[in-house]
Amino acid sequence: MIQSVNHFALLPLYAAAGTALLVLVLELAVGRWVAPAGIAGGLATIGAAVTLALDPADTFCGPARCSWVATPPAAVMAVLFAALTIGVLALSAPALRLGIAPAGEFCFLLTSSMAGGVVVAYAGDLITLIVGLETLTLPLYVLVGLRRFAPRERGTTAGASAAVTFFLVSVVSTALALLGAALLYASTGALHLAELTGGAGQFAPLASVGAALLVIGFAFKVAAVPLHAWAPATYDGAPIPVAAYLSTASKLGGVIALAAVAQRLDTGPLVAVLAVLTMTVGNLVALRQTRMIRLLAWSSVAQAGYILAPLAAGASGVPAALAYAVFFVLLEFVAFGVVVALRGPGGDGGDLAEYRSAGRHHPWLGAALVLSFAGLAGLPPGLAGLFAKVTIVASLIDDGWGWLAGVVALNAVIALAYYVRVAASLYAPVGLPPEPVPAAEPGAVATLTRVDVSRPVGAAVAVATLLTVILGFAPQWVFDALS
C-alpha cells in the first residue's frame, strides 16, 4: 500500500521541527539569538496552523483513513502549543540572559517539545498520537533537571530528583499506553482513531482491557489519580517556567489523547471514576499546601478532574472538555507568569506567606493573579473559567450524568477555600504577621515588594491576561471552534 504525502498539510510540523533545528544550528554556529529564533519559530508555527485551517488537507493517507488529519480543533490546539512555547520562552528570557540556564539547550528542548505537541494535535492514528506524546514529554525530563535556575534557594538535587521521578512514572505510563494500543490492534485490527471500536465476539474483553490501559496510560499526562503523585514534586523541583509548560502544554497533550480515545471507545465508567478521584484528591490536598507551586500543582490535578468529567459521556462531551482545557491552560499560564514576575530570574515559587501584600505593591500583577484564581475557581471576574465550569456541568446534565455534575459543583465549592485564601493574602495589610510557615525565609515579603519585573515576563503575563479577558467575553467562539 502506497500512502500519499501532502507536504502542505505538514506545514505546521515543518515550522515547529524546523525551529528546533534552527535553534540548534544557531547555538552551535554563533552561540546567540536562540531565544528570538525560538519565538520567531513559534510565530511561524502559528501562521502555518492558521494557513492549514483555512485550506484543510490531510496526509499519510491509505485507501480509507489518514494518519495526519487537519480539523478545526487540531488547528486550535497547534496554535495553543506554539503560543505556550512562546510564552514560556518569554518567561525564561531573564534567566537565559543572565546565564542562569544554558540558552541553547533550553530553547532546543522546548521547541522540540512544541513539535511533539503539533504532532499530537494532528494525529489520526494511535501510533502517531503516542509518538507525538513522547516527543512532547521526552525533552521535559531534561528541562525539569535544569535546576541551575535557582542554585541558591533549592539546590541542584531538587531538579534531579524531580526529573527522575517524572521519568520513572512516565516510562510506566507509556508502557501501559503501548500495551493498550497493542491489545486494541490485536482485537480489532484498527489503529486509526476513526476506526477504533470496542471489538466484537470473543475479542470484546481484550479490546476493553486495551481501552482501559490506554486511558490509564494517558491519564499520567494530565496528572490524574492514581498517576498524579509525580506532579507536585516535579513542579516544585523544576524551574518555574518549565513547571508552567508542564502544567499547560504537557497537560493539553494528555487531554487531546484522552479525548481521542474516550469519544470512540466505551470507557465512560472508568473515566468517571478517574474524574471523581482526581478532582477530589486534588482539592483536598491543595487545602493543606503552604508553597505556591505545590498549591498550583495540586490545583492543576483538581482541574484535570474537571476536564475528565465530560469525557465520561463519550463523544458528546469532547467539545466541553477541550474548551475547558483551553481556558484552563490560559488561566494557569497567567498564574505561573505572575509567580515568575514576583520571584525574579532563578527564583523558586516560595511559600504562600511570602506573597502577603504583594498585590498592594504590584497592583497589576496582583490583579492578574486574582483573575487567574477567580477563573480557576469559576467565579467572576474570571468569565472564561465561569463559562468553562458552566459548560462542563451543562454537558454532564444533558448527557444524563447528573450525579457527576453534582460532584463537579461540590468540588468547585471546596476549591474556593484555597483560591480565596491566597487571593485575599495578596492584599492583606503589611502590618499583619504572616501565616506561620516553617520554611518561610526572613525578609521574603520585603523581597517581593522590591521586585523589578522584566519586560519579556511582563509582556507575556499581560498578553495572556488580555487574551483570557477577551475570550471570557466571547467564550462561545472557542466552544464552536472545538465542536
Side-chain angles (χ1 to χ4, degrees), residues 256-269:
I256 296 172
L258 281 169
V261 173
Q263 69 177 317
R264 296 176 175 92
L265 299 174
D266 184 16
T267 58

Side-chain angles (χ1 to χ4, degrees), residues 33-34 53 56 69 88 101 163 172 177 191 198-199 209 247 266 294 323 340 356 360 400 439 477:
W33 302 328
V34 289
V69 182
V88 171
V172 174
L191 281 176
V209 173
S247 185
D266 184 16
R294 284 186 174 268
V340 172
R356 180 179 294 276
R360 290 171 173 258
W477 179 86

Side-chain angles (χ1 to χ4, degrees), residues 76-104:
V76 173
M77 296 305 169
V79 168
L80 199 52
F81 279 119
L84 290 170
T85 303
I86 294 171
V88 171
L89 284 173
L91 295 184
S92 309
L96 298 178
R97 189 184 305 116
L98 295 174
I100 297 175

Side-chain angles (χ1 to χ4, degrees), residues 21-37 103-104:
L21 292 176
L22 175 62
V23 166
L24 182 61
V25 170
L26 285 175
E27 169 64 15
L28 294 174
V30 299
R32 54 181 178 173
W33 302 328
V34 289

Side-chain angles (χ1 to χ4, degrees), residues 281-306:
V281 170
N283 282 322
L284 291 179
V285 180
L287 292 171
R288 302 173 54 250
Q289 299 308 304
T290 58
R291 290 187 60 81
M292 177 60 82
I293 297 300
R294 284 186 174 268
L295 175 73
L296 290 174
W298 283 107
S299 165
S300 74
V301 171
Q303 298 293 330
Y306 301 141

